[in-house]
Amino acid sequence: MTGKLTNAQIAWRAAQDIQDGAYVNLGIGFPEMVARFQPAGRQAIFHTENGILGFGEAPAAGEEDWDLINAGKKAVTIRPGTAFFHHADSFAMVRGGHLDVAILGAYQVAQNGDLANWSTGPKGVPAVGGAMDLVHGARRVAVITDHVTKDGRPKLVQACTLPLTGVACVTRVYTSLAVVDIEGGRFVLREKLAALSFDDLQSLTGAPLHVEGDVTDLTVPEL
Amino acid sequence: MTGKLTNAQIAWRAAQDIQDGAYVNLGIGFPEMVARFQPAGRQAIFHTENGILGFGEAPAAGEEDWDLINAGKKAVTIRPGTAFFHHADSFAMVRGGHLDVAILGAYQVAQNGDLANWSTGPKGVPAVGGAMDLVHGARRVAVITDHVTKDGRPKLVQACTLPLTGVACVTRVYTSLAVVDIEGGRFVLREKLAALSFDDLQSLTGAPLHVEGDVTDLTVPEL
Amino acid sequence: MDKRIASLADATAEIGDGATVMIGGFGGSGAPIELIHALIDRFLATGSPTGLTVINNNAGNGHVGIAAMIEQGMVARMICSFPRSADPVVFTDRYQAGRIALELVPQGTLAERIRAGGAGIPAFYTPTGFGTDLAEGKPVAEFDGRSYVQERWLKADVALIKAETGDHLGNLTYRMAARNFAPLMAMAATRTIVQVSHVVAPGGIDPEAVITPGIFVDALVHVPDPAQEEDLNRAGARYPEVTA
Amino acid sequence: MDKRIASLADATAEIGDGATVMIGGFGGSGAPIELIHALIDRFLATGSPTGLTVINNNAGNGHVGIAAMIEQGMVARMICSFPRSADPVVFTDRYQAGRIALELVPQGTLAERIRAGGAGIPAFYTPTGFGTDLAEGKPVAEFDGRSYVQERWLKADVALIKAETGDHLGNLTYRMAARNFAPLMAMAATRTIVQVSHVVAPGGIDPEAVITPGIFVDALVHVPDPAQEEDLNRAGARYPEVTA
C-alpha cells in the first residue's frame, strides 16, 4: 500500500465537517491537530475537559502560562469570549449533550460503533481521562485514525477485542484511506482514496463495508 | 396559663446557642427573628436558599433592591464577605451538611424528632419550599415554636398527625415554656420557666418529658 | 457566531403548544418579565402557545409575569416548590377549581433535578423528602445505613431567563440573588433564551467571572432597564394592561 | 471569624495516618505544591502522615508534589483518572511493584462523585463507563430506554487546594484553568485547607466573583508566589532537594 493520507490530511478532512460555531472537544494528541484546519469563515469553539471553553492556539515558546493548559497539558491562550469553569461544570457540558462534536483517536472501532481507545490490555498503567465521558456525551462522536495498525491489522473491526471505551458511540470514522459512517450496526463507506479499489480497502478492513448511494473520492490538499 | 415567652424571647433564647462564625439558615417568618439577637461578640453567617451567604439585615424602607432578597422574599443587604451562588450550589451547602444550624418553625414535633411544618392537610395549596432539604442537611436542626397551638393543643407530640417535613431530624425545641432536647426517641427537658411546675408543663406536652440531670430555669430578658 | 436576536417577539416565536418551559426567578428576583410578556402577546394575537408546563420556584404573584400567563390560561401544569406569594390568587383559584395541575417539589430537589437534566444525570438519590408524602411512589434505597429517595432529572424544551450582562457568544453574568435557578435552567433546556440588561462584545466579560458559559445559551435579547416584578406588583400592575 | 493560619506546618498538622486526602490540580495547574511539601516535611520529621489515600486527577509528575509524596512512601492508594504524565516513573514503578493501589475513575465521573460528596448526593447514575471494564460490579439501571451505571459519592477527610485570592472568611477565586477540581474538593472534604497567593479582607472579593464561598473552607494559608509544578519539573527539581 503506497498512497495513504498523512495524519495532517486526516485531521484536515475531519475539520471540513465541523460547522461554524460548533462546540468541539478534540482528544489529546493526534486529534488536537484538527483545530489547525478550520475552513476559512468558520470558527469552532473548543472545549477542554479541564475547564476552558473558547480557548485559542498555543502561545509562542517561552510565553506559556502553565495555569492555562488543555487536557493534554499543553499551553493554550485566551480569546475574546473565553470562559473558565470547574470540572463538574465542564463534564456537565460533556455528559449533558452540549458538545456538538468530539473527535477522538482509536485503537479499534467496531461496526456497531463500539470504541476501544483507552487501554491496550492488562499490562502497563491504565489511564482513561475524559474519553469515557466524551463518547457518551457529544452529539456526534467521530474517530480519526490510520486505517490499520502499525503492523497492518485492521482497526475497523467486527467486534473490539481491546477494553471498550464506550458502547455503540462512534458515528463516523476518518481514516488514512476512507471516510466510513456507522449506521444500523454496519460500516457504510462514504469516501475512499481514488487510487484504492473497493476490494483492496475491504481487505484492509475487519468487517464488511457497505455501500449506500455514491462513494465519493476522498480528496485532501497537500499539507 | 399566664407567663410564657413572647416570640422575640423564644428567638432570643435560640440565638444564645449559636456560636461565633456558625453558618445558619433561618426559616422564613418567625425564625428570621433569631438574627436580631446574636450575643455581643458573636457573628453568625446567614445562608438563604436563594443563593446568598453572609447577607446583612433589612435595608431602610425605600432602600430595597428586589434582586437582593432572602428566602422569605424580604429585602436584605450585602456585608463585607457576602457571596452569591446559584440554587444548586445553595442546596449543596444545605444537603451536603455544611450548615451548622437550621432553625425552623413547626406545627408539630414528635418525640423521635419527626417534624411537621409544611402542610396542614389536604385543603389549601400545598407549598414546601426548602424546608424538606434543610431538615436533612444542617448539622443541627432546631425548632422554635409556641409550646401549644392557638387552641391549646400540644405541638410536642408522640407522633405527628400532620404531613411530615422530615423523619427524626429535630434535635432541640425552643418553646414559649421550655427548652427540650430530642435524644434516643424521647423528649428530654433541659430548661423550663421557673414559675411553671413540671406537672403543668407535662400536661401541655403530648408525650412524656424526661429529666436527665438538672433542669435549669429558662431565663430571658424583657425584649 | 452571534446569538443576539433583535426582538422579544422573534426570540419567543418558536415556543410551541404543550412545551415545557423553565422560567428563571425566585419570587420576582430574576423573573424575565419582558420575555414572559412577549409570550403572552403572542398568545393573545395567535392563541399559541398554550397547554404549557411551567417550571419555576413559585407559581406567580399578582397579575404580571407567570401569574399573567396563568391568568390567560396558557399554563396547564406547574412544577414548583412554593406556589404561595403575597398575592397568589391567580394560581390558587385555578388550582382549587382543578384547572391547573401542580407537581410540588422540595426546593433543593427541584434545583438538583434541573442541574441533573443539564448534566446528563438521569437520576440521583437525596435524603430530602424521605418518609414524606412528596416521596410517595418514588424508589428508595439505603446507602451507608441511611435512607434516600431516587429523583429523576428535569429537562425542558425552552428556558426563559434574565441575566445582567451577556456577550455575543452567550456568556452570562447575573445580578445578585437574581442568579438563583437561571444557570441551572440554561443547562437543562433544549433552547435557552436570555434577556440581558447589557450586551457586550466577546471579551467584554472577564473569563473568570462568567457564570453561564455560552455553550448553554441559544438566543440573547437586549432588554435594557428590565421591569422588576416586585415593583410592578407594588404598583398594582396587570398584564396586559386594563384600559378603560 | 478569621480562617487564616500562619504557617503551612500548622495548616497541615492534623492530617492523620490513613487519611483520605483530595488534592487539587490537573497536571501542574492548580497543584498546591507548598501544602504538599509541608506535608512531606512533617512526614520526614515525624513519620506521619502515611498510608494515605490520595484523590487527584493524576498520579504525580517528576519528583515534586504528589510524585514526591508517593516517592516518600506516604501514599497507599491513588484514586485518579489519568496516572500518566510526562515523567510518571515514580507512580509507575510502585504500581507495577504492587506497592500502591489504584482506583481508576473516568474523569467526569471523578468530578461528579466529588461534587456529589459535597452536595449530599450518595449516588447517581451516569452513562459514562457503561459496558466497560470500569463499570464492572457496579449496579446498572435503565432510564428512558438507555443504560446507566450507578456511581457513589466521594468524600475526604482533608482537601488541599490552591486558590488565587482568599478573604478571611474563606471566600475564594482561582486563576484560569487552575480552578479545575478545587471548588469540588473544597465541598467534599471534612477539612478544606487552602493555599492562596493573595489574602484580602472580607469585602475584597466582589460577591459576584466568588467561586468557592467560605462555608466550604476551613483554613487559609498565605503562599505568595507559589511554585508552578510544570516549572519545577522542567528544571529537574526534586523534593526534598538532593544536596551533595
Side-chain angles (χ1 to χ4, degrees), chain A residues 195-219:
Chain A
L196 187 70
S197 74
F198 178 89
D199 289 348
D200 285 349
L201 182 65
Q202 180 64 72
S203 73
L204 296 166
T205 307
L209 288 169
H210 296 263
V211 174
E212 292 180 350
D214 292 342
V215 174
T216 56
D217 288 347
L218 171 53
T219 323

PDB file of all heavy atoms in Angstrom, chain A residues 195-219:
ATOM      1  N   ALA A 195      -7.371   6.175  -5.820  1.00  0.00           N
ATOM      2  CA  ALA A 195      -6.455   5.170  -6.354  1.00  0.00           C
ATOM      3  C   ALA A 195      -6.655   3.791  -5.740  1.00  0.00           C
ATOM      4  O   ALA A 195      -6.043   2.807  -6.167  1.00  0.00           O
ATOM      5  CB  ALA A 195      -5.013   5.621  -6.132  1.00  0.00           C
ATOM      6  N   LEU A 196      -7.512   3.716  -4.746  1.00  0.00           N
ATOM      7  CA  LEU A 196      -7.681   2.474  -3.995  1.00  0.00           C
ATOM      8  C   LEU A 196      -8.973   1.799  -4.444  1.00  0.00           C
ATOM      9  O   LEU A 196     -10.031   2.425  -4.451  1.00  0.00           O
ATOM     10  CB  LEU A 196      -7.762   2.829  -2.505  1.00  0.00           C
ATOM     11  CG  LEU A 196      -7.780   1.719  -1.483  1.00  0.00           C
ATOM     12  CD1 LEU A 196      -6.424   1.019  -1.404  1.00  0.00           C
ATOM     13  CD2 LEU A 196      -8.137   2.312  -0.118  1.00  0.00           C
ATOM     14  N   SER A 197      -8.888   0.516  -4.778  1.00  0.00           N
ATOM     15  CA  SER A 197     -10.096  -0.188  -5.189  1.00  0.00           C
ATOM     16  C   SER A 197     -10.924  -0.541  -3.952  1.00  0.00           C
ATOM     17  O   SER A 197     -10.396  -0.648  -2.842  1.00  0.00           O
ATOM     18  CB  SER A 197      -9.736  -1.468  -5.939  1.00  0.00           C
ATOM     19  OG  SER A 197      -9.273  -2.440  -5.028  1.00  0.00           O
ATOM     20  N   PHE A 198     -12.214  -0.746  -4.159  1.00  0.00           N
ATOM     21  CA  PHE A 198     -13.077  -1.166  -3.048  1.00  0.00           C
ATOM     22  C   PHE A 198     -12.555  -2.460  -2.443  1.00  0.00           C
ATOM     23  O   PHE A 198     -12.485  -2.605  -1.216  1.00  0.00           O
ATOM     24  CB  PHE A 198     -14.519  -1.343  -3.538  1.00  0.00           C
ATOM     25  CG  PHE A 198     -15.444  -1.824  -2.458  1.00  0.00           C
ATOM     26  CD1 PHE A 198     -16.105  -0.916  -1.630  1.00  0.00           C
ATOM     27  CD2 PHE A 198     -15.648  -3.190  -2.241  1.00  0.00           C
ATOM     28  CE1 PHE A 198     -16.944  -1.356  -0.624  1.00  0.00           C
ATOM     29  CE2 PHE A 198     -16.487  -3.629  -1.216  1.00  0.00           C
ATOM     30  CZ  PHE A 198     -17.139  -2.712  -0.406  1.00  0.00           C
ATOM     31  N   ASP A 199     -12.147  -3.397  -3.296  1.00  0.00           N
ATOM     32  CA  ASP A 199     -11.708  -4.699  -2.785  1.00  0.00           C
ATOM     33  C   ASP A 199     -10.444  -4.566  -1.934  1.00  0.00           C
ATOM     34  O   ASP A 199     -10.313  -5.217  -0.892  1.00  0.00           O
ATOM     35  CB  ASP A 199     -11.481  -5.678  -3.941  1.00  0.00           C
ATOM     36  CG  ASP A 199     -12.810  -6.107  -4.578  1.00  0.00           C
ATOM     37  OD1 ASP A 199     -13.878  -5.830  -3.977  1.00  0.00           O
ATOM     38  OD2 ASP A 199     -12.770  -6.697  -5.675  1.00  0.00           O
ATOM     39  N   ASP A 200      -9.535  -3.719  -2.385  1.00  0.00           N
ATOM     40  CA  ASP A 200      -8.326  -3.518  -1.585  1.00  0.00           C
ATOM     41  C   ASP A 200      -8.671  -2.896  -0.229  1.00  0.00           C
ATOM     42  O   ASP A 200      -8.120  -3.266   0.807  1.00  0.00           O
ATOM     43  CB  ASP A 200      -7.336  -2.622  -2.328  1.00  0.00           C
ATOM     44  CG  ASP A 200      -6.637  -3.383  -3.461  1.00  0.00           C
ATOM     45  OD1 ASP A 200      -6.778  -4.635  -3.498  1.00  0.00           O
ATOM     46  OD2 ASP A 200      -5.980  -2.741  -4.291  1.00  0.00           O
ATOM     47  N   LEU A 201      -9.567  -1.918  -0.250  1.00  0.00           N
ATOM     48  CA  LEU A 201      -9.982  -1.291   1.007  1.00  0.00           C
ATOM     49  C   LEU A 201     -10.661  -2.323   1.911  1.00  0.00           C
ATOM     50  O   LEU A 201     -10.372  -2.410   3.115  1.00  0.00           O
ATOM     51  CB  LEU A 201     -10.934  -0.120   0.724  1.00  0.00           C
ATOM     52  CG  LEU A 201     -11.410   0.653   1.949  1.00  0.00           C
ATOM     53  CD1 LEU A 201     -10.244   1.374   2.634  1.00  0.00           C
ATOM     54  CD2 LEU A 201     -12.499   1.664   1.581  1.00  0.00           C
ATOM     55  N   GLN A 202     -11.529  -3.118   1.331  1.00  0.00           N
ATOM     56  CA  GLN A 202     -12.225  -4.142   2.126  1.00  0.00           C
ATOM     57  C   GLN A 202     -11.226  -5.100   2.757  1.00  0.00           C
ATOM     58  O   GLN A 202     -11.390  -5.511   3.915  1.00  0.00           O
ATOM     59  CB  GLN A 202     -13.216  -4.907   1.241  1.00  0.00           C
ATOM     60  CG  GLN A 202     -13.982  -5.997   1.987  1.00  0.00           C
ATOM     61  CD  GLN A 202     -14.881  -5.439   3.072  1.00  0.00           C
ATOM     62  OE1 GLN A 202     -15.903  -4.843   2.799  1.00  0.00           O
ATOM     63  NE2 GLN A 202     -14.496  -5.609   4.339  1.00  0.00           N
ATOM     64  N   SER A 203     -10.166  -5.415   2.014  1.00  0.00           N
ATOM     65  CA  SER A 203      -9.185  -6.384   2.537  1.00  0.00           C
ATOM     66  C   SER A 203      -8.412  -5.826   3.725  1.00  0.00           C
ATOM     67  O   SER A 203      -7.828  -6.575   4.510  1.00  0.00           O
ATOM     68  CB  SER A 203      -8.214  -6.804   1.426  1.00  0.00           C
ATOM     69  OG  SER A 203      -7.323  -5.734   1.148  1.00  0.00           O
ATOM     70  N   LEU A 204      -8.412  -4.488   3.869  1.00  0.00           N
ATOM     71  CA  LEU A 204      -7.726  -3.847   4.999  1.00  0.00           C
ATOM     72  C   LEU A 204      -8.696  -3.531   6.136  1.00  0.00           C
ATOM     73  O   LEU A 204      -8.333  -2.885   7.118  1.00  0.00           O
ATOM     74  CB  LEU A 204      -7.050  -2.560   4.522  1.00  0.00           C
ATOM     75  CG  LEU A 204      -5.929  -2.749   3.491  1.00  0.00           C
ATOM     76  CD1 LEU A 204      -5.563  -1.425   2.825  1.00  0.00           C
ATOM     77  CD2 LEU A 204      -4.705  -3.389   4.149  1.00  0.00           C
ATOM     78  N   THR A 205      -9.934  -3.972   5.984  1.00  0.00           N
ATOM     79  CA  THR A 205     -10.983  -3.632   6.943  1.00  0.00           C
ATOM     80  C   THR A 205     -11.512  -4.930   7.553  1.00  0.00           C
ATOM     81  O   THR A 205     -11.724  -5.907   6.838  1.00  0.00           O
ATOM     82  CB  THR A 205     -12.126  -2.874   6.214  1.00  0.00           C
ATOM     83  OG1 THR A 205     -11.550  -1.771   5.500  1.00  0.00           O
ATOM     84  CG2 THR A 205     -13.169  -2.369   7.195  1.00  0.00           C
ATOM     85  N   GLY A 206     -11.722  -4.926   8.878  1.00  0.00           N
ATOM     86  CA  GLY A 206     -12.046  -6.161   9.573  1.00  0.00           C
ATOM     87  C   GLY A 206     -13.510  -6.539   9.591  1.00  0.00           C
ATOM     88  O   GLY A 206     -13.893  -7.519  10.262  1.00  0.00           O
ATOM     89  N   ALA A 207     -14.325  -5.774   8.904  1.00  0.00           N
ATOM     90  CA  ALA A 207     -15.761  -6.082   8.852  1.00  0.00           C
ATOM     91  C   ALA A 207     -16.274  -5.589   7.518  1.00  0.00           C
ATOM     92  O   ALA A 207     -15.640  -4.742   6.878  1.00  0.00           O
ATOM     93  CB  ALA A 207     -16.496  -5.398  10.007  1.00  0.00           C
ATOM     94  N   PRO A 208     -17.424  -6.095   7.068  1.00  0.00           N
ATOM     95  CA  PRO A 208     -17.919  -5.706   5.741  1.00  0.00           C
ATOM     96  C   PRO A 208     -18.144  -4.203   5.630  1.00  0.00           C
ATOM     97  O   PRO A 208     -18.693  -3.576   6.539  1.00  0.00           O
ATOM     98  CB  PRO A 208     -19.245  -6.460   5.627  1.00  0.00           C
ATOM     99  CG  PRO A 208     -19.159  -7.576   6.604  1.00  0.00           C
ATOM    100  CD  PRO A 208     -18.293  -7.094   7.725  1.00  0.00           C
ATOM    101  N   LEU A 209     -17.709  -3.654   4.507  1.00  0.00           N
ATOM    102  CA  LEU A 209     -18.016  -2.265   4.161  1.00  0.00           C
ATOM    103  C   LEU A 209     -19.250  -2.271   3.269  1.00  0.00           C
ATOM    104  O   LEU A 209     -19.268  -2.954   2.239  1.00  0.00           O
ATOM    105  CB  LEU A 209     -16.848  -1.644   3.388  1.00  0.00           C
ATOM    106  CG  LEU A 209     -15.577  -1.341   4.189  1.00  0.00           C
ATOM    107  CD1 LEU A 209     -14.436  -1.001   3.249  1.00  0.00           C
ATOM    108  CD2 LEU A 209     -15.838  -0.206   5.176  1.00  0.00           C
ATOM    109  N   HIS A 210     -20.246  -1.541   3.659  1.00  0.00           N
ATOM    110  CA  HIS A 210     -21.460  -1.460   2.858  1.00  0.00           C
ATOM    111  C   HIS A 210     -21.437  -0.192   2.031  1.00  0.00           C
ATOM    112  O   HIS A 210     -20.805   0.796   2.405  1.00  0.00           O
ATOM    113  CB  HIS A 210     -22.693  -1.481   3.763  1.00  0.00           C
ATOM    114  CG  HIS A 210     -22.817  -2.785   4.503  1.00  0.00           C
ATOM    115  ND1 HIS A 210     -23.622  -3.804   4.077  1.00  0.00           N
ATOM    116  CD2 HIS A 210     -22.207  -3.229   5.630  1.00  0.00           C
ATOM    117  CE1 HIS A 210     -23.509  -4.828   4.920  1.00  0.00           C
ATOM    118  NE2 HIS A 210     -22.651  -4.495   5.873  1.00  0.00           N
ATOM    119  N   VAL A 211     -22.140  -0.231   0.922  1.00  0.00           N
ATOM    120  CA  VAL A 211     -22.253   0.947   0.074  1.00  0.00           C
ATOM    121  C   VAL A 211     -23.726   1.295  -0.068  1.00  0.00           C
ATOM    122  O   VAL A 211     -24.552   0.429  -0.362  1.00  0.00           O
ATOM    123  CB  VAL A 211     -21.618   0.694  -1.317  1.00  0.00           C
ATOM    124  CG1 VAL A 211     -21.878   1.889  -2.244  1.00  0.00           C
ATOM    125  CG2 VAL A 211     -20.129   0.438  -1.180  1.00  0.00           C
ATOM    126  N   GLU A 212     -24.014   2.549   0.227  1.00  0.00           N
ATOM    127  CA  GLU A 212     -25.385   3.055   0.042  1.00  0.00           C
ATOM    128  C   GLU A 212     -25.254   4.357  -0.707  1.00  0.00           C
ATOM    129  O   GLU A 212     -24.688   5.313  -0.188  1.00  0.00           O
ATOM    130  CB  GLU A 212     -26.051   3.324   1.388  1.00  0.00           C
ATOM    131  CG  GLU A 212     -26.321   2.063   2.183  1.00  0.00           C
ATOM    132  CD  GLU A 212     -26.997   2.366   3.523  1.00  0.00           C
ATOM    133  OE1 GLU A 212     -27.077   3.554   3.884  1.00  0.00           O
ATOM    134  OE2 GLU A 212     -27.417   1.411   4.190  1.00  0.00           O
ATOM    135  N   GLY A 213     -25.744   4.417  -1.913  1.00  0.00           N
ATOM    136  CA  GLY A 213     -25.569   5.621  -2.715  1.00  0.00           C
ATOM    137  C   GLY A 213     -24.120   5.738  -3.165  1.00  0.00           C
ATOM    138  O   GLY A 213     -23.378   4.742  -3.234  1.00  0.00           O
ATOM    139  N   ASP A 214     -23.707   6.973  -3.466  1.00  0.00           N
ATOM    140  CA  ASP A 214     -22.380   7.182  -4.032  1.00  0.00           C
ATOM    141  C   ASP A 214     -21.276   7.002  -3.005  1.00  0.00           C
ATOM    142  O   ASP A 214     -21.439   7.375  -1.838  1.00  0.00           O
ATOM    143  CB  ASP A 214     -22.263   8.616  -4.579  1.00  0.00           C
ATOM    144  CG  ASP A 214     -23.151   8.804  -5.802  1.00  0.00           C
ATOM    145  OD1 ASP A 214     -23.555   7.786  -6.401  1.00  0.00           O
ATOM    146  OD2 ASP A 214     -23.448   9.972  -6.126  1.00  0.00           O
ATOM    147  N   VAL A 215     -20.167   6.461  -3.480  1.00  0.00           N
ATOM    148  CA  VAL A 215     -18.916   6.561  -2.736  1.00  0.00           C
ATOM    149  C   VAL A 215     -18.075   7.596  -3.479  1.00  0.00           C
ATOM    150  O   VAL A 215     -17.769   7.424  -4.663  1.00  0.00           O
ATOM    151  CB  VAL A 215     -18.168   5.217  -2.682  1.00  0.00           C
ATOM    152  CG1 VAL A 215     -16.802   5.406  -2.022  1.00  0.00           C
ATOM    153  CG2 VAL A 215     -18.998   4.185  -1.935  1.00  0.00           C
ATOM    154  N   THR A 216     -17.763   8.684  -2.812  1.00  0.00           N
ATOM    155  CA  THR A 216     -17.028   9.743  -3.494  1.00  0.00           C
ATOM    156  C   THR A 216     -15.542   9.615  -3.211  1.00  0.00           C
ATOM    157  O   THR A 216     -15.120   8.897  -2.291  1.00  0.00           O
ATOM    158  CB  THR A 216     -17.554  11.132  -3.082  1.00  0.00           C
ATOM    159  OG1 THR A 216     -17.472  11.226  -1.668  1.00  0.00           O
ATOM    160  CG2 THR A 216     -18.993  11.316  -3.523  1.00  0.00           C
ATOM    161  N   ASP A 217     -14.761  10.332  -4.017  1.00  0.00           N
ATOM    162  CA  ASP A 217     -13.309  10.312  -3.811  1.00  0.00           C
ATOM    163  C   ASP A 217     -12.960  11.092  -2.544  1.00  0.00           C
ATOM    164  O   ASP A 217     -13.482  12.186  -2.320  1.00  0.00           O
ATOM    165  CB  ASP A 217     -12.597  10.964  -5.003  1.00  0.00           C
ATOM    166  CG  ASP A 217     -12.655  10.070  -6.233  1.00  0.00           C
ATOM    167  OD1 ASP A 217     -13.021   8.876  -6.094  1.00  0.00           O
ATOM    168  OD2 ASP A 217     -12.356  10.578  -7.326  1.00  0.00           O
ATOM    169  N   LEU A 218     -12.088  10.530  -1.766  1.00  0.00           N
ATOM    170  CA  LEU A 218     -11.556  11.224  -0.588  1.00  0.00           C
ATOM    171  C   LEU A 218     -10.411  12.110  -1.069  1.00  0.00           C
ATOM    172  O   LEU A 218      -9.333  11.618  -1.404  1.00  0.00           O
ATOM    173  CB  LEU A 218     -11.075  10.197   0.445  1.00  0.00           C
ATOM    174  CG  LEU A 218     -10.298  10.689   1.659  1.00  0.00           C
ATOM    175  CD1 LEU A 218     -11.048  11.800   2.397  1.00  0.00           C
ATOM    176  CD2 LEU A 218     -10.018   9.528   2.616  1.00  0.00           C
ATOM    177  N   THR A 219     -10.680  13.388  -1.147  1.00  0.00           N
ATOM    178  CA  THR A 219      -9.717  14.328  -1.730  1.00  0.00           C
ATOM    179  C   THR A 219      -9.261  15.313  -0.669  1.00  0.00           C
ATOM    180  O   THR A 219     -10.097  15.961  -0.028  1.00  0.00           O
ATOM    181  CB  THR A 219     -10.380  15.135  -2.863  1.00  0.00           C
ATOM    182  OG1 THR A 219     -11.285  14.281  -3.566  1.00  0.00           O
ATOM    183  CG2 THR A 219      -9.338  15.677  -3.820  1.00  0.00           C
TER     184      THR A 219
END
